[in-house]
Amino acid sequence: LLPHLGPGPETLRRAIDVRLDLSVPLSLMGKIRRLMELQLEAEPLARELGDEPTLGWIAQRLAAYGWFPGRYRDGVAQAERALIIAEEIGDVRLQVASKYALGMNHMALGDYRPAIESFVDIVDGPDAPVAREVPGMNVPVYWGSCAWLGFCLSTTGDFVREAFYGDPALEGPDLNPIPEAMLAGFFPGQHLLE
């Protein structure tokens, strides 16, 4: 369809949007590999347009999606790239989402200190109110950060801080971090099935 629209910035924008708009349905179907492919297809198009915000969100999504098939080091690199862009353009939502992906990937690598730093910055930082609105995998990143922060702190033996940060994860507004943990536990090997 898009080749029939003719060349130009509007066609590039549509090509990007088509790829990015498939995120929710494909993630619900567990098609993580396809999601990553679509992000990688959209990236050069956004670069051609010079669209830094979209490049930032693509990097953030690659960081988040890379967590599922175990591409944690790539996820850290993508999250760091997204953070740089977020800071340059002043996009607080992108910053918060990127810190969450960064924390998740560090945690998966067993690098608990940088994971804890990312999650604490989300929960205690100046952008905590925004973090309550930015979607994570299944819950806003604020509540997911509380839950994963509790996990990281208990894993490192810091049980006092674990209770301080972990307990609020269970008190979110009609939210339960357990589905996010279940979703995360369900998908790591799904890429092998495709």
Side-chain angles (χ1 to χ4, degrees):
L1 175 67
L2 291 172
H4 299 291
L5 297 176
E10 186 58 32
T11 301
L12 285 177
R13 170 58 45 211
R14 286 183 184 178
I16 293 167
D17 291 345
V18 163
R19 287 163 174 82
L20 301 184
D21 289 347
L22 290 171
S23 290
V24 173
L26 289 176
S27 66
L28 292 173
M29 294 173 17
K31 302 290 185 184
I32 304 303
R33 179 185 299 176
R34 184 64 183 135
L35 282 170
M36 293 178 79
E37 291 169 356
L38 290 171
Q39 302 306 303
L40 292 171
E41 289 173 14
E43 188 174 31
L45 303 175
R47 188 167 281 111
E48 187 175 334
L49 283 176
D51 186 346
E52 288 297 309
T54 298
L55 287 169
W57 281 105
I58 289 170
Q60 186 280 330
R61 287 176 173 187
L62 287 170
Y65 299 152
W67 190 83
F68 289 103
R71 296 180 182 164
Y72 310 127
R73 293 199 192 291
D74 290 342
V76 167
Q78 291 288 358
E80 288 172 343
R81 193 175 111 207
L83 269 171
I84 290 168
I85 293 171
E87 289 168 5
E88 286 175 356
I89 63 174
D91 187 332
V92 175
R93 293 176 64 85
L94 177 57
Q95 230 173 343
V96 168
S98 300
K99 286 178 189 175
Y100 187 63
L102 183 64
M104 295 286 293
N105 282 288
H106 274 303
M107 178 184 67
L109 286 166
D111 296 337
Y112 295 114
R113 296 294 172 215
I116 290 168
E117 289 174 19
S118 292
F119 295 138
V120 166
D121 194 37
I122 291 167
V123 173
D124 286 344
D127 302 322
V130 174
R132 292 173 186 259
E133 305 298 326
V134 175
M137 283 188 274
N138 193 48
V139 297
V141 297
Y142 179 89
W143 304 108
S145 294
C146 287
W148 291 118
L149 185 52
F151 170 80
C152 291
L153 290 167
S154 65
T155 301
T156 59
D158 192 342
F159 300 110
V160 172
R161 287 178 66 209
E162 182 279 329
F164 178 78
Y165 287 108
D167 287 352
L170 301 174
E171 300 168 5
D174 297 324
L175 298 174
N176 183 346
I178 302 303
E180 179 160 323
M182 290 171 62
L183 177 67
F186 176 73
F187 284 113
Q190 69 85 33
H191 67 287
L192 300 173
L193 303 174
E194 294 181 22

